[in-house]
Amino acid sequence: MLATIKSSITQSLTQALAQVAPEISHPILLERPRDPAHGDVACNMAMQLAKRIGTNPRALAESLITNLPDNPDIAAVEIAGPGFMNIRLTDAAKQSVVSEVLKNPAVYGLTQTHAGEHVMIEFVSANPTGPLHVGHARQAALGDTLGSVLASQGFDVYREFYYNDAGQQIANLAISVQARAKGLGVDDPTFPDGGYRGDYIMDIADDYKAQKTVNGVTATGDVDNLSDIQAFAVAYLRREQDLDLQAFGVAFDNYFLESSLYTTGAVEQTVKRLSELGHTYDEGGALWFRSTDYGDDKDRVMRKAEGGYTYFVPDVAYHVNKWQRGFTKVINIQGTDHHGTIARVRAGVKASDVGVADGYPDYILHKMVMVMKDGVEVKLSKRAGSYVTLRDLVEWTNKDAARFLLISRKADTEFIFDVDMAISQSDENPVYYVQYAHARICSILEKAGVEVSANINAAALAPLTAKTETHLMKLMSEYPDTLAAASNELAPHHVVYYLKDLAGAVHGFCGSKTERVLTDDLAAKTARVHLLAAAKDVIANGLNLLGVSAPIRM
């Protein structure tokens, strides 16, 4: 519902309450009726206030309706059930969304509700040990779209990629490249245990021996220099991941290196602070963190008896760093396999006593993706050696299809990415269905020959009263609330659901035999052209938030 209409109805109900019970002050909550046949707006304030006022809900609802001031947006108010007030809007109120959109299409649905609030979203954060896989692709789509959704509500959004460029996996990468550079095949019995076997390792080895320069790192070609091999391999894979993300339309404001937490002493400082605050103890030669004091199910080892820190310690240091950089709201998007780290990271940051609130940081955990192609599950990629890559998805389909489909479900639900469906030109393909709605409107507007006015007046929109027209206008008016809900719930899939519904309304209207746009009735034609022009803009806005194109022809 448009903010102006919501405001006017709220004001009228407030005035009615002041007449009925001047001593009562109560916030007005407006909702959508579950059944559209019951009206356009619902309010249950009579049920909430009846006991305080000393009457029954239906009687209070009747009194409130009687005292409602005249409002040009309200056509009727009906009482339902034990005391719900169902409000029906006037035709002019419903039609006003068309002029609201066309007045300034680029900002329709956007608000400054959270202006001045900073939020960091950390996502993808892949180890630079191989190509990005389909799980990273889902993260990329989720994180980038969520960033756009939050920005639509006024947040200052900062996207960060955390490179895990330290630890055993990086060491395994180096010895894998070294083995290939020395001529060992992946099936050779002396090939390193835990080594990486994808074709990309051979590509890195070849470029290393050719002494190429990648991302500012020049290979020495010395196959015995493991340190040089590691530096080159990490630089090589960082470049490959960057190219994949560029092809996917994802950009980051910052790339943070895990290794920097060690070189700057942040890890040591974090451990020292936790120890000084009394949150650690020694046992069995290891240093333990009392994470159970902060809700974890058991205490955690920080420094192993044989030396070296466990993997959650740099994670704590990293999140203390985020807080110190001024990010009081942080959202991490990770796979469900990271579920066990949430409690200990939150505990470590809280115990560091830097001022974070409980529950810092926020997490969105996503389940992995199954890829189907030609009716069978695809498990392997020659490029990666063991999994389907982000690049595979884009090459098999396209950026638009991959991004749209990967956020078309809640993050915590299983998802099957059907390659054949993703490239099909049918109503069963949701991205095609939505993009075609936009292209279909463009085609109709081109044929109509009516100039769209950004200042269309209410009288010109008056013919828009048919069921298909009012349904389309109703959905367009829900776009701002959809963005607000997607932001508040950290649920970008709401935008996909909304666009599919809006596209369905467009196709329903365009397929109507009675509400034809290309008609000799100039008044009806003009009104319907502006209706479709507004719908086109809303679809384009929504697709833009998803990082998906809005084609004018298909």
Side-chain angles (χ1 to χ4, degrees):
M1 182 168 46
L2 295 181
T4 51
I5 295 175
K6 184 182 291 186
S7 177
S8 78
I9 294 174
T10 300
Q11 185 176 1
S12 292
L13 289 171
T14 301
Q15 291 176 14
L17 179 61
Q19 291 294 320
V20 173
E23 73 284 0
I24 298 290
S25 177
H26 186 77
I28 309 298
L29 178 63
L30 303 180
E31 302 173 335
R32 298 191 196 103
R34 293 181 181 179
D35 185 350
H38 292 166
D40 304 298
V41 186
C43 181
N44 67 348
M45 63 184 293
M47 298 173 65
Q48 295 175 321
L49 295 176
K51 188 173 182 180
R52 288 174 61 187
I53 294 175
T55 185
N56 68 71
R58 285 191 68 91
L60 177 56
E62 290 172 357
S63 183
L64 288 169
I65 292 171
T66 301
N67 284 276
L68 271 177
D70 291 338
N71 186 319
D73 294 325
I74 298 176
V77 184
E78 302 159 356
I79 303 173
F84 285 102
M85 291 187 291
N86 290 332
I87 302 169
R88 298 186 185 277
L89 300 179
T90 62
D91 288 339
K94 296 174 185 177
Q95 295 155 1
S96 65
V97 67
V98 176
S99 55
E100 183 72 16
V101 174
L102 295 177
K103 182 170 58 181
N104 197 342
V107 302
Y108 178 66
L110 309 186
T111 76
Q112 290 299 308
T113 303
H114 296 279
E117 297 182 44
H118 303 284
V119 57
M120 175 195 284
I121 306 178
E122 182 215 325
F123 57 105
V124 180
S125 294
N127 298 334
T129 55
L132 300 178
H133 55 61
V134 291
H136 296 131
R138 191 174 196 184
Q139 275 193 43
L142 283 168
D144 198 43
T145 302
L146 179 59
S148 297
V149 167
L150 292 172
S152 78
Q153 303 303 295
F155 281 103
D156 177 19
V157 178
Y158 191 82
R159 294 167 169 85
E160 184 154 288
F161 188 119
Y162 179 65
Y163 273 119
N164 301 100
D165 63 335
Q168 187 58 48
Q169 291 176 313
I170 298 298
N172 288 345
L173 170 68
I175 60 176
S176 302
V177 174
Q178 183 184 53
R180 297 294 271 163
K182 288 184 174 183
L184 290 181
V186 294
D187 296 323
D188 192 295
T190 62
F191 193 85
D193 290 336
Y196 298 97
R197 300 171 184 269
D199 284 358
Y200 69 96
I201 295 295
M202 192 69 239
D203 295 336
I204 300 172
D206 287 342
D207 283 359
Y208 178 78
K209 289 191 295 183
Q211 299 181 24
K212 292 188 177 181
T213 299
V214 175
N215 270 13
V217 177
T218 301
T220 63
D222 182 356
V223 296
D224 292 316
N225 192 326
L226 197 57
S227 177
D228 283 357
I229 292 173
Q230 177 173 307
F232 181 78
V234 169
Y236 184 102
L237 287 169
R238 285 187 60 185
R239 181 193 65 177
E240 289 297 299
Q241 291 180 356
D242 288 347
L243 291 174
D244 285 349
L245 290 169
Q246 288 172 22
F248 206 50
V250 176
F252 289 87
D253 297 296
N254 188 46
Y255 294 85
F256 193 101
L257 302 181
E258 179 187 3
S259 58
S260 70
L261 295 169
Y262 291 93
T263 58
T264 62
V267 171
E268 288 287 350
Q269 291 166 15
T270 297
V271 175
K272 180 181 178 183
R273 182 170 180 81
L274 289 173
S275 296
E276 290 175 344
L277 291 170
H279 299 305
T280 64
Y281 61 93
D282 292 299
E283 184 177 293
L287 180 68
W288 292 73
F289 168 50
R290 301 181 191 276
S291 55
T292 51
D293 290 348
Y294 293 88
D296 200 1
D297 59 345
K298 61 181 179 180
D299 291 345
R300 305 290 174 174
V301 173
M302 297 184 69
R303 187 174 58 237
K304 293 174 283 188
E306 63 272 23
Y309 293 111
T310 55
Y311 66 91
F312 95 93
V313 178
D315 284 347
V316 173
Y318 177 41
H319 285 87
V320 169
N321 175 277
K322 289 181 180 182
W323 178 266
Q324 291 171 339
R325 281 187 280 158
F327 292 105
T328 56
K329 185 174 180 62
V330 167
I331 303 166
N332 296 339
I333 301 180
Q334 298 175 333
T336 50
D337 56 325
H338 287 79
H339 183 272
T341 67
I342 295 176
R344 68 199 70 162
V345 169
R346 285 177 172 169
V349 180
K350 187 71 174 177
S352 297
D353 197 25
V354 291
V356 302
D358 292 338
Y360 179 94
D362 287 322
Y363 283 87
I364 297 176
L365 299 182
H366 70 88
K367 292 190 176 179
M368 295 300 288
V369 180
M370 177 189 295
V371 179
M372 300 289 291
K373 190 171 185 283
D374 300 324
V376 297
E377 181 182 356
V378 184
K379 294 184 178 180
L380 303 179
S381 164
K382 186 178 180 183
R383 180 183 295 115
S386 58
Y387 54 82
V388 178
T389 68
L390 181 156
R391 193 177 303 180
D392 290 330
L393 282 192
V394 174
E395 289 177 353
W396 292 340
T397 59
N398 55 69
K399 175 182 76 72
D400 285 350
R403 286 189 61 125
F404 190 99
L405 293 173
L406 286 169
I407 53 172
S408 63
R409 297 287 186 276
K410 288 183 65 175
D412 61 356
T413 58
E414 301 285 353
F415 181 65
I416 298 176
F417 190 102
D418 189 327
V419 172
D420 301 314
M421 184 272 288
I423 59 177
S424 68
Q425 296 187 356
S426 70
D427 291 352
E428 293 181 0
N429 179 359
V431 64
Y432 175 83
Y433 187 67
V434 174
Q435 288 182 316
Y436 179 57
H438 185 272
R440 188 176 188 179
I441 293 174
C442 291
S443 176
I444 293 172
L445 296 183
E446 187 177 4
K447 294 174 183 176
V450 173
E451 184 176 354
V452 175
S453 171
N455 300 306
I456 187 73
N457 59 48
L461 299 174
L464 300 175
T465 58
K467 186 176 181 179
T468 57
E469 295 164 342
T470 55
H471 180 53
L472 185 50
M473 290 184 291
K474 176 179 179 291
L475 283 175
M476 286 194 295
S477 71
E478 293 173 2
Y479 181 65
D481 289 342
T482 298
L483 296 189
S487 173
N488 293 337
E489 298 171 24
L490 305 182
H493 66 277
H494 285 331
V495 181
V496 173
Y497 288 5
Y498 170 82
L499 287 173
K500 290 192 291 187
D501 287 344
L502 183 59
V506 166
H507 291 308
F509 171 70
C510 292
S512 171
K513 294 181 180 179
T514 53
E515 287 78 57
R516 297 177 61 243
V517 178
L518 304 180
T519 175
D520 293 333
D521 184 338
L522 183 59
K525 182 179 184 179
T526 299
R528 290 167 185 165
V529 161
H530 284 80
L531 171 62
L532 281 184
K536 174 183 71 69
D537 289 335
V538 177
I539 292 174
N541 287 353
L543 288 174
N544 182 60
L545 284 179
L546 306 183
V548 175
S549 67
I552 61 174
R553 289 183 178 82
M554 292 182 71

